[in-house]
Structure formats: C-alpha cells, structure tokens
Amino acid sequence: MKKNMIKQALSRKFDTGELHRDSDLQDFLKSINETVRTMNISEIRKSDDSAAKLRIAGNQLYQERKYAEALAYYTESIRLAEPESDQLGMGYANRSVIYYEQGEFEFALYNIDLAKRNNYPEKLMPKLLARELNCKQQIVLGQSKGTVPRPMMSINVDTHPRIPFLADGIGMNYYPRCGRGLAAEKDFNPGDVILDEKIELCGIDFDLSCHNCNHCSARFNYSLIPCPTCPIFMYCSQECLEQNWKFYHRFECGVATKLSSASFVTLMVTPRLFFYGLSQFGDDLQAMMEYCEPEVTEPSNPLDLDYTNLNRLEVFKALYNNHPFSDPEIEYVMKYVACVYYVVFLENPAVSSIIRTAAQQRFFLLSLLQHARLSCSLLADTSDSQSRSLGTISPVYSICNHSCDPNAATFIDSGRSKVIILRPVHKGEQIVTSYGPTWWRPRPGHILGFRCSCIACNADQKWRSMIERRFSPEANKNLQTLHDVMARNDFSVANKLNALQQFVKRYADRYHPQKDLGMILSSYRLL
C-alpha cells in the first residue's frame, strides 16, 4: 500500500477543479466519500509469513553489520507478527542482538524480557539466557551506555498545590490578540522549569510509528511494542498500549490502514480528541451530544482542575470549552480533514454501531470539524531533522501561546511537555514560547498556520533598532568568557547551561532584544 493514497487522490481533485476550496461541507463530504469508496483500500492484517520474511532480511543486514537497517526490519517484523506467535518472540530476540552488539545493554535486556514473555522457542532459550547473563555482567562492569530513555529536566521550583507538574505562581489570563495565555504571578529566572506535564493526546507522522509511542509520543529507539490487532501502531509500554486502547485506539484499529493512507500527520488528533471525549462519557453519545451541542460562551480554565485527583471527563471539557482557531484561508483544510475522517471511521463497525442515526452522524461530522479547528489551537507541533511531525495536546500547556520573541522554550521529552524559562520573566508578564520561528532564528518557509501578532512581527522601528545595539565593554568581556566555557569539551552540559543562564539573567533586562543575546538564547534552546 502506498502511503497518503487518499490524500494524493483528493489533492488531484483540487488541482483539476473537481473540488473547490470554497465548497460547502456537504460538497466536500460527497466528493471525499466517492473517492474513498472508489479506492476500496483493504486493511493490512498481521501475518507470520510476512514477519518471517522481514526477520530473514534483517538477519542478512545483521550479518553485513548494518545494524540500524537490521533493527528497522526486526521492528517491522514485530509489528506484523501475529499475537502469541513465536515470530513475535523471535523478533524481540533478534532486536536484543542488535542492542547487545551496540553496547546498549538495557535495551537488550528489555527486548530479551519481551522475547521470553512472547513465545520465544524453548529450543533456542539457552542462547537467549546466555545473552541476558552477559548483558547483566556488562552493566555491573560499568559498560552500559545508559541509553534507556529517562525523563529529563524535572520541575525545579515550588509547585502548584493542585497541579503538581506546574510551578506555583502561574495563572491564566485572557489577552486581546491571542485569547487564553499563561501569566506569571511572580518573577521567574532563566533555567526555571515551570511545567513538566504528561502528554494527554498525540498525533505522529506515520513514518515515526516505529520510533515514537502512539499514546504518549515518547521516542523509544525502535524498542516499541505493537498493537496486538493492527500492524500500524506501536507503544513504549503495556500501560500506554492499554490506555490508548481505552481512550481511542479501539475506534481506530479496524481502519488503521485507511488512516495511514489519509495521513494528516498531527491532525490525527482531530478524531482522537472526539473519541477521547466519547470514552470519558462512557461511550454515551447522547450525553456527549447534550454537552457539546450548545455553543461555548466562555472558555474554560484548565488550571481550575485538581490534577492530584484527575477526572478526565473534566479534562475533555476543559479542552473542548475553548474558542477554536479560525482562519478563512485554511478553513477548507479543516473541512477536508473532518470529511475524510468521517468517511473512514464510519467504515469501522466499532464506530458505526455507536453513531447510527442521521442526527448522530451529523453531530459526528460537525464535531470533527470543530475538533479540527480546536486542534489548531491546542496542538504543540514539532518536527525532527527529517521534517517528520509530531503533535501533542496537554491541557495546561495548551494555554501557552506563541511568540517570535519567546521568554520560554518548550521541549517534548519522554512523553511530557516541558516549559523552561529562557530569560527573566517578571510578575504580570505573559509566558510565551515559540512554535517554530524566533526573531533571532526566523526559519524561512516555516508555516505557523496563523497570522502571528507578536511584538517581533509587529515591531516598530524603535524595537527593531534595539537589535543592533552594542554590549558594554563589561558585557562583551563576559560574553567572551561565556564563549570560552561553551567551547570547552571538559565542561558538562549542566555547567554550560548554568553559564548561559547566569549571563542571560544578568544582561537580558538591559539588552533585550539584541542580536548577540539572541544567539545566546538560541544556544540555550539547543542545549
């Protein structure tokens, strides 16, 4: 199956004029319905034969010492292996060999354990147990690379009494240009980690499905475990697999191949937000309709929730009760996304058995359109070096707005959204992060998907002229010292970060914005 088949076919309709951007929702639905049904895409099923062929190809690559390529083939084999088959256990065992050869002994042990729990053949078990013992001995000898992912940059300031992953002294305000936003209720310093929030929903590029967990988005270096039913989605743990099934994957699983052929990348969170809500209503569609159909009058405040005793129905309501993103220039994309997901999901009996009547189907379609718009407001969208996208939604982080002149930086790390203060933030200031470009690193060609109205994009000549100011002799001397620290190989990342933070703390209020300071902030974000 070719990826993006549905997407490409529909793009041709726009190119040929069969479908227009200003067409109404029903015209979109009619055209998309015809396209999807004409293509008649069959779902790929698990197959031990296919899994075995991939493993054999991986073995050949292993013999050639092409470990990265072999690892990819073994993971594809695991994804296609039928549940409870020895092919699954053998795939994990093969994967452990690669990690052993690379000196990544924790990953090797993790996969050995998976092999033992997934029908690895008894006749081959002595070899596996010998590798397990060797891994443990190497770790005792201090030979491990320590590459098992661990959460980094934990929150390092006093926390909110009801929100243990948020700094105390953070509130929510309403801003004329950007709506809801995080506001500092006290001063914060560079290096303060003010948010360390677990990701609630994600949408990942299908090219990343062997790298990142389909539930929490954590990158797990080809050591994911597969959905036992479909050959598409993978997870970093059994806990993520089970929670994902409960929240929304049970509605995706039967049409996973079709979803991958539509591939709206991060906007996969559109239907996931809907099914997440449906799950929190106990699959009671009528109750969900009664709650969602009235128009939102006032956006909710996710900071009002008690996260020490989390009620996910209230989380959904906090996400839903938000004025959605609206831009006439890309409204056709929202309609396009909503209609494709509507058609694809209704082919799944798990969905059509719940969404049966015309009124329910209309609600589903309009909800998908609403959730597509909401996703643009709530989504944190990042890309890797190969332009593969990953989008996440976390209720508190969703409040944080974009600015090309950010005073904070966002990191998606180990399935969590983290916000770190870049330069001094004073009481009353809005805390803003960048969704991509900054004034010191514009990133030409990067598309935000909205018109940015931040101070850098609407700056007057006075603000622009400040960028060209010169540092004082004292600041220049300290800048040179900082450069020397950054160039030293014997200094740890922690030492370098501390030096950057101290420089920014000392000079940012006096010299922001200034191009040399911008370069310092850029280095800070990279570290």
Side-chain angles (χ1 to χ4, degrees), residues 22-94:
D22 58 354
S23 299
D24 65 26
L25 189 61
Q26 289 303 316
D27 287 338
F28 267 82
L29 182 59
K30 180 180 178 182
S31 182
I32 288 168
N33 193 32
E34 290 172 354
T35 300
V36 173
R37 297 194 185 286
T38 300
M39 296 180 75
N40 194 27
I41 296 170
S42 299
E43 291 297 311
I44 299 173
R45 303 298 177 191
K46 300 270 189 180
S47 165
D48 279 347
D49 287 342
S50 298
K53 290 175 183 177
L54 286 164
R55 271 200 326 102
I56 291 168
N59 290 342
Q60 180 61 42
L61 290 164
Y62 167 71
Q63 294 297 330
E64 297 170 8
R65 303 183 68 82
K66 296 178 180 178
Y67 294 148
E69 293 94 329
L71 195 58
Y73 271 84
Y74 291 148
T75 298
E76 283 292 340
S77 172
I78 289 166
R79 190 154 64 162
L80 280 172
E82 296 171 27
E84 301 183 7
S85 72
D86 61 359
Q87 286 298 324
L88 189 57
M90 291 171 73
Y92 288 131
N94 286 147

Side-chain angles (χ1 to χ4, degrees), residues 241-251 275 279:
L241 187 155
E242 291 173 1
Q243 198 165 53
N244 195 251
W245 180 266
K246 178 181 177 182
F247 286 173
Y248 47 76
H249 186 56
R250 57 199 171 100
F251 300 111
F275 290 117
S279 297

Side-chain angles (χ1 to χ4, degrees), residues 334-347:
M334 305 295 103
K335 291 189 284 189
Y336 177 42
V337 167
C339 290
V340 170
Y341 284 134
Y342 173 86
V343 171
V344 170
F345 274 101
L346 282 182
E347 290 192 9

Side-chain angles (χ1 to χ4, degrees), residues 206-226:
F206 282 93
D207 287 339
L208 290 173
S209 58
C210 286
H211 300 268
N212 293 76
C213 177
N214 186 55
H215 183 66
C216 73
S217 83
R219 189 171 180 85
F220 207 51
N221 198 27
Y222 278 124
S223 267
L224 302 172
I225 60 175

Side-chain angles (χ1 to χ4, degrees), residues 411-436:
F411 299 89
I412 306 299
D413 176 61
S414 301
R416 305 184 74 85
S417 300
K418 300 169 187 283
V419 176
I420 303 172
I421 298 298
L422 278 178
R423 54 184 173 82
V425 173
H426 301 293
K427 181 179 179 180
E429 282 188 66
Q430 183 179 183
I431 296 169
V432 286
T433 186
S434 171
Y435 298 172

Side-chain angles (χ1 to χ4, degrees), residues 376-415:
C376 291
S377 300
L378 301 171
L379 199 65
D381 194 352
T382 58
S383 299
D384 68 5
S385 59
Q386 299 177 47
S387 298
R388 298 175 298 189
S389 297
L390 183 152
T392 62
I393 292 178
S394 308
V396 173
Y397 178 71
S398 69
I399 306 170
C400 194
N401 289 314
H402 164 81
S403 174
C404 298
D405 182 29
N407 51 25
T410 301
F411 299 89
I412 306 299
D413 176 61
S414 301

Side-chain angles (χ1 to χ4, degrees), residues 21-314:
R21 293 187 176 193
D22 58 354
S23 299
D24 65 26
L25 189 61
Q26 289 303 316
D27 287 338
F28 267 82
L29 182 59
K30 180 180 178 182
S31 182
I32 288 168
N33 193 32
E34 290 172 354
T35 300
V36 173
R37 297 194 185 286
T38 300
M39 296 180 75
N40 194 27
I41 296 170
S42 299
E43 291 297 311
I44 299 173
R45 303 298 177 191
K46 300 270 189 180
S47 165
D48 279 347
D49 287 342
S50 298
K53 290 175 183 177
L54 286 164
R55 271 200 326 102
I56 291 168
N59 290 342
Q60 180 61 42
L61 290 164
Y62 167 71
Q63 294 297 330
E64 297 170 8
R65 303 183 68 82
K66 296 178 180 178
Y67 294 148
E69 293 94 329
L71 195 58
Y73 271 84
Y74 291 148
T75 298
E76 283 292 340
S77 172
I78 289 166
R79 190 154 64 162
L80 280 172
E82 296 171 27
E84 301 183 7
S85 72
D86 61 359
Q87 286 298 324
L88 189 57
M90 291 171 73
Y92 288 131
N94 286 147
R95 215 161 58 174
S96 75
V97 174
I98 299 294
Y99 289 124
Y100 182 81
E101 293 289 349
Q102 294 177 327
E104 295 175 346
F105 301 115
E106 288 98 342
F107 275 129
L109 285 173
Y110 176 73
N111 280 275
I112 288 168
D113 182 61
L114 288 171
K116 289 161 66 177
R117 290 191 282 115
N118 285 277
N119 296 303
Y120 187 69
E122 283 295 328
K123 64 181 180 181
L124 300 176
M125 192 64 74
K127 190 175 181 180
L128 188 71
L129 295 177
R131 188 180 309 130
E132 181 180 41
L133 179 60
N134 287 338
C135 286
K136 291 178 179 178
Q137 290 173 340
Q138 292 298 321
I139 290 172
V140 170
L141 293 171
Q143 297 301 311
S144 170
K145 292 182 180 179
T147 50
V148 172
R150 295 183 177 90
M152 300 169 63
M153 301 181 296
S154 299
I155 197 162
N156 58 3
V157 292
D158 291 338
T159 57
H160 191 288
R162 286 181 290 99
I163 313 174
F165 52 82
L166 178 70
D168 196 22
I170 302 287
M172 188 185 88
N173 281 347
Y174 295 93
Y175 298 92
R177 289 183 175 178
C178 53
R180 304 184 306 175
L182 288 178
E185 296 175 344
K186 65 179 184 181
D187 293 349
F188 289 96
N189 292 313
D192 287 348
V193 181
I194 61 167
L195 183 69
D196 183 13
E197 182 179 18
K198 187 175 181 180
I199 287 165
E200 196 69 11
L201 293 158
C202 78
I204 62 175
D205 192 315
F206 282 93
D207 287 339
L208 290 173
S209 58
C210 286
H211 300 268
N212 293 76
C213 177
N214 186 55
H215 183 66
C216 73
S217 83
R219 189 171 180 85
F220 207 51
N221 198 27
Y222 278 124
S223 267
L224 302 172
I225 60 175
C227 168
T229 308
C230 77
I232 304 294
F233 297 109
M234 303 189 81
Y235 303 91
C236 68
S237 66
Q238 187 67 26
E239 179 185 1
C240 273
L241 187 155
E242 291 173 1
Q243 198 165 53
N244 195 251
W245 180 266
K246 178 181 177 182
F247 286 173
Y248 47 76
H249 186 56
R250 57 199 171 100
F251 300 111
E252 300 173 341
C253 201
V255 288
T257 305
K258 295 182 181 68
L259 290 173
S260 66
S261 70
S263 187
F264 292 108
V265 193
T266 57
L267 283 178
M268 185 69 186
V269 297
T270 295
R272 287 180 173 179
L273 183 56
F274 176 87
F275 290 117
Y276 176 87
L278 181 61
S279 297
Q280 305 318 313
F281 278 100
D283 292 357
D284 186 339
L285 184 61
Q286 186 60 39
M288 186 179 181
M289 291 172 68
E290 290 172 2
Y291 179 80
C292 293
E293 285 184 329
E295 185 176 348
V296 174
T297 55
E298 183 176 336
S300 62
N301 184 353
L303 304 189
D304 289 339
L305 302 183
D306 183 358
Y307 292 86
T308 63
N309 185 25
L310 188 62
N311 181 336
R312 283 195 161 89
L313 177 58
E314 296 305 314

